[in-house]
Amino acid sequence: MAQPSGEFRQEAVRARGGELVSGGLLVGVGAPDGSEARPCPEEWRPHPRRIGRSEPARGPAGGVGRAVGPLALGAGPADLPMLDREADIAELLALLSEGRSIRLVGQAGSGRSALLSAVAEAAADLAPGGVVQLCGHRRTVPDLLQDLFAATHHAPGFRPDPGQLAVHLAEVGAIVVIDAAEPSGAELEQLLAAAPGCAFLISSAPDGPPLPAGSRLQDHLVAGLSRSACLALTARLAGRPLDVTEKAWAVDLWFESEGLPLRFVQAAALLRQRDVSVDALVAAEDDRMDVFGVVAEPAHDPDPAVRESALRRTVPLPSVPETASPAVRLAEGLSEPAQAVLRLAVALGGDCPTAPHLPALIDVGQGEAALAELTDAGLAVSVDGHHRLTAGALDLLAPHWPARGCVDGAAQHFAWWVGHSSVTLEQIAAEAEVVIGVLLADRSAGRHDAVVRLARAAAPALALSLRWGAWERVLELGLEAARRTGSPVDQAWFHHEAAVHAICVRQPSRAIAELETALTLRAAAGEQRGVAAAGRMLDLLRAEGRQLPAAAPAAVAPARAPVIRKIAARVPAGLKSSRRRRVAVLSTAVLTLGVLGTAVAMSFSGPDGTKGPEPHGGRPDTGVGTPDTPHPLPSGSGGAGTTGAGPGSPAGQGSGPGPTASGGTSHSSGTSPTRLPSSPPGAGESQNPQPSAPGQSQQPDPQPGRPQPSQPSGQPSKSPSASQSPSSPASTPGTPATTSGAPTSPSGPAGPSTPGTGQNSLSLSSSMPRSSS
């Protein structure tokens, strides 16, 4: 992110303006008299276009990469391979390949974010739409849905309403990875229902409520690491092997922490700080020997490693209670730039500004190195290119690290920055949490005028960047500060903007109340143009037949489409259980026998239209027509090749059962495959039925050497004429007949057929073999 150039003065602050489309509304933002919403002309409405998958993982653009790190030895946490997580990765890949949605649960610091990243990298080919990675930190469900829409569709400046979102996201078949999601319970179910063709992998807060009954999510516990993995992690981060004393200390920490990776990242940072103290002792001893020589002292070992080991034993290791809460001790061992950044993050509620802002806020030139030092110490975590303090660090550091004026000019800086022409809307959206942190810090310090200025500058920018959860929060804080300052003009402006937000999110009652309040305040202040702007929107809301277009009704979430196909090659063979291998082999054998049986039955069928017996399974529909009538195949059918159909094709939308909200199996109407029953012993090949001439009964034609299915006990045999009941009328000659394996209507075992659909309803009792008795 480039720091914009220009003179840093209050006179340079200006409001950002522009237009966006929200559903069927055209919203003008940043006008001098306030924003305004009106119906959008049809020719101005955008037409979203699906984005092709260009790389394995997609997400919000604009991330800050690691620059020069502070460590001379060892590796940072982000550079380490996954330890002791192979089984978790294989299990999650298997569940995602089946279209399941998973919520990762576990204690704070259990490594859920690292596991999410590893699974997202390995699951690149499991779904047609690839992997979409989103950040859930301080995002509402509408914000997450907008981020998912923006990652899969090209429509800049457009925020669809719930009905339009349901239409666009229904075509998406991807694996959606959301880290640090704050919504829970019914909100998560709403998120899953909006994208039924996606499989979600979500990491939520450790103290989240349990899943409701019948949830489409299933929990996966992320436990701690094994003892050997924790020792290897500590040694790798420390940059050297552990001695006997340090290994015993790490084992005690493993028992106390239950193997949480974050605790060992911080323990390695404590060991590095101890090594710095040891290096200082070695340097002091060398200096003393060079200056004064050896006078009446025991002879030193000539090996420097032995001398260093002896001096290391003089520096005690931290106790286990100190290692359990090491934030304060780690902060005291940081460099001065890292301590300044840490103090700023504590003052902003745990969110760190990106590196380009640090020179203007706290006069730190090497911001990237300072942020990397916080990450290596286990005090901050990098998610989506931004840093925030790790779990528990804010509560431990806040009493010991006061603000000390580090945010005094932050409001003025960000008010100038959001309005600068060189700053993009994506950059403003990425700093939304930091802006809210500055507003909260100034409110706590009593600087209400600064809160009003920053809120008036940031609100239009956040609206245009489509971060509407942050937009609403900024308007609330600005209105509260305007009431404390007693300015009716500012109060009227915030009420007016809150009304525009209410119109955009389809809350007309709240919009009318906000507009009426703004109208009263502006009339009292003598703002005639503001009164006219508020009056126009009030007339638009109240006028019968001219009100703003309502949101399109949200489509009922269909059953989960099986658009995510299993690719077993992505799961390591050594990590699959023997049971899964047996199931895969049996499934492949059944599919092969079914295809071979269909081919053999078609080759045995004669030109006279006779056919062999049809297995009876729930009375599926069959067709009756002339012998010359062609057999149409379903759209997209191609035998085993239909399993790879994309989500947009008919075969991909209903080619198989998919999990529903109740955990059952559903079939799409008109595209569900015929359910085959269990065949009797020895009948390993299915037969393809052939249509008979109109009015002719379908007698079983036994094939030589082929066992015939017997009549189920307790089921009376029926004559061919009795099968053509009023509930299942015979089809007329010339109607296309459905072939074996073609989709049938799910209306019932003997539901009526629709003329012209090519699927006639006729009971299979006429094609069943008569009982030998």
Side-chain angles (χ1 to χ4, degrees):
M1 180 186 297
Q3 182 70 18
S5 59
E7 190 176 4
F8 185 68
R9 296 185 304 172
Q10 181 63 27
E11 296 82 66
V13 175
R14 66 180 182 86
R16 185 181 290 264
E19 289 183 341
L20 60 92
V21 178
S22 171
L25 302 176
L26 180 62
V27 185
V29 180
D33 304 321
S35 304
E36 188 171 354
R38 59 187 184 274
C40 181
E42 188 65 31
E43 61 272 12
W44 289 4
R45 297 189 180 184
H47 301 283
R49 176 179 55 83
R50 282 289 302 275
I51 298 177
R53 195 177 78 176
S54 57
E55 53 188 22
R58 297 192 306 274
V64 178
R66 282 180 57 130
V68 180
L71 299 180
L73 297 175
D79 301 329
L80 287 179
M82 293 296 296
L83 298 175
D84 210 19
R85 296 297 190 196
E86 293 83 2
D88 288 329
I89 294 175
E91 183 178 355
L92 292 174
L93 286 176
L95 292 173
L96 290 173
S97 64
E98 296 172 358
R100 306 288 185 87
S101 293
I102 308 104
R103 184 180 70 165
L104 299 184
V105 294
Q107 301 183 46
S110 58
R112 290 164 299 163
S113 298
L115 182 59
L116 280 176
S117 300
V119 174
E121 183 178 357
D125 297 330
L126 289 185
V131 178
V132 178
Q133 292 184 275
L134 305 177
C135 179
H137 180 56
R138 294 187 179 178
R139 258 84 163 180
T140 61
V141 170
D143 284 343
L144 288 174
L145 290 175
Q146 174 62 29
D147 290 343
L148 178 58
F149 171 78
T152 55
H153 294 77
H154 178 74
F158 176 54
R159 186 171 176 121
D161 57 34
Q164 294 170 335
L165 264 178
V167 173
H168 294 302
L169 296 183
E171 303 174 355
V172 178
I175 293 177
V176 183
V177 179
I178 304 178
D179 189 19
E182 295 187 358
S184 60
E187 293 179 331
L188 283 180
E189 298 299 325
Q190 178 185 354
L191 179 65
L192 268 64
C198 296
F200 287 81
L201 181 61
I202 301 174
S203 170
S204 59
D207 54 351
L211 295 175
S215 174
R216 294 170 58 186
L217 281 169
Q218 65 182 74
D219 285 338
H220 179 86
L221 178 63
V222 182
L225 301 178
S226 63
R227 183 172 64 177
S228 59
C230 290
L231 293 177
L233 176 64
T234 307
R236 183 73 177 272
L237 291 176
R240 58 174 177 81
L242 304 180
D243 57 26
V244 178
T245 306
E246 292 169 343
K247 285 183 179 179
W249 171 74
V251 169
D252 293 339
L253 177 60
W254 178 77
F255 277 107
E256 189 273 334
S257 66
E258 299 179 356
L260 295 180
L262 177 61
R263 302 283 288 277
F264 289 89
V265 172
Q266 296 172 343
L270 291 175
L271 290 180
R272 293 197 303 269
Q273 291 184 0
R274 181 169 176 258
D275 290 343
V276 171
S277 302
V278 173
D279 293 340
L281 291 177
V282 172
E285 184 181 83
D286 293 341
D287 291 342
R288 186 173 63 253
M289 293 177 61
D290 291 341
V291 174
F292 302 102
V294 180
V295 180
E297 290 187 5
H300 294 279
D301 194 290
D303 190 355
V306 176
R307 296 202 308 269
E308 181 180 349
S309 178
L311 290 174
R312 179 174 287 109
R313 287 192 293 269
T314 63
V315 180
L317 286 167
S319 63
V320 174
E322 287 178 335
T323 313
S325 302
V328 177
R329 183 164 180 170
L330 286 172
E332 292 173 351
L334 296 174
S335 63
E336 291 186 4
Q339 287 182 350
V341 175
L342 183 62
R343 193 183 304 276
L344 176 63
V346 171
L348 296 181
D351 289 297
C352 302
T354 49
H357 294 284
L358 298 179
L361 296 175
I362 53 177
D363 196 18
V364 172
Q366 299 295 328
E368 294 89 350
L371 291 172
E373 186 176 354
L374 292 178
T375 305
D376 295 335
L379 295 177
V381 60
S382 175
V383 178
D384 191 28
H386 285 73
H387 293 75
R388 65 175 185 272
L389 298 183
T390 54
L394 178 62
D395 297 334
L396 293 173
L397 293 173
H400 303 279
W401 291 72
R404 293 183 182 177
C406 61
V407 293
D408 290 348
Q412 185 179 10
H413 164 74
F414 281 104
W416 163 78
W417 179 77
V418 297
H420 203 280
S421 58
S422 65
V423 180
T424 64
L425 295 177
E426 290 78 9
Q427 293 171 340
I428 295 173
E431 300 287 352
E433 288 77 22
V434 176
V435 171
I436 294 177
V438 172
L439 292 173
L440 292 174
D442 284 345
R443 184 185 68 172
S444 301
R447 295 187 288 267
H448 303 295
D449 291 333
V451 173
V452 170
R453 287 194 298 270
L454 177 57
R456 291 198 61 161
L462 292 173
L464 291 172
S465 64
L466 302 180
R467 282 295 309 275
W468 285 4
W471 179 27
E472 183 180 13
R473 181 62 174 152
V474 167
L475 291 177
E476 293 173 355
L477 294 174
L479 179 59
E480 178 185 354
R483 288 170 178 169
R484 292 181 179 272
T485 59
S487 171
V489 175
D490 291 330
Q491 294 182 48
W493 188 89
F494 284 110
H495 279 294
H496 183 98
E497 296 298 308
V500 176
H501 175 270
I503 293 174
C504 292
V505 297
R506 303 307 191 273
Q507 297 177 359
S509 301
R510 185 168 71 91
I512 291 176
E514 296 283 359
L515 283 174
E516 289 177 345
T517 305
L519 191 63
T520 303
L521 291 172
R522 284 182 162 176
E527 290 188 339
Q528 299 301 325
R529 296 181 58 181
V531 169
R536 284 195 300 269
M537 282 195 294
L538 270 176
D539 294 340
L540 199 61
L541 284 170
R542 291 173 175 173
E544 184 176 358
R546 290 194 298 127
Q547 62 268 27
L548 293 175
V556 178
R560 195 176 191 84
V563 296
I564 299 178
R565 303 300 179 192
K566 186 171 184 179
I567 301 179
R570 299 298 299 177
V571 183
L575 299 176
K576 299 178 186 176
S577 63
S578 59
R579 181 180 179 182
R580 292 193 179 185
R581 285 198 297 268
R582 290 195 299 268
V583 171
V585 170
L586 290 175
S587 301
T588 306
V590 171
L591 179 60
T592 305
L593 289 176
V595 174
L596 290 177
T598 302
V600 171
M602 293 178 64
S603 63
F604 281 143
S605 300
D608 54 351
T610 59
K611 71 177 190 69
E614 174 83 13
H616 183 68
R619 292 186 181 180
D621 296 340
T622 185
V624 177
T626 60
D628 297 334
T629 303
H631 294 222
L633 293 178
S635 175
S637 65
T642 57
T643 58
S649 63
Q653 294 174 0
S655 60
T660 60
S662 60
T665 303
S666 62
H667 299 274
S668 302
S669 176
T671 59
S672 300
T674 304
R675 182 161 50 93
L676 296 178
S678 59
S679 59
E685 298 176 354
S686 61
Q687 298 182 7
N688 190 20
Q690 298 294 334
S692 61
Q696 295 180 359
S697 61
Q698 299 180 358
Q699 298 295 339
D701 186 13
Q703 301 293 338
R706 184 183 304 274
Q708 301 301 322
S710 60
Q711 178 74 12
S713 60
Q715 180 177 355
S717 59
K718 298 182 181 180
S719 61
S721 60
S723 64
Q724 300 181 3
S725 59
S727 60
S728 64
S731 60
T732 58
T735 305
T738 57
T739 60
S740 175
T744 58
S745 173
S747 59
S753 63
T754 304
T757 60
Q759 296 180 358
N760 302 320
S761 299
L762 183 63
S763 174
L764 279 183
S765 57
S766 60
S767 62
M768 289 298 300
R770 299 181 182 272
S771 175
S772 59
S773 60

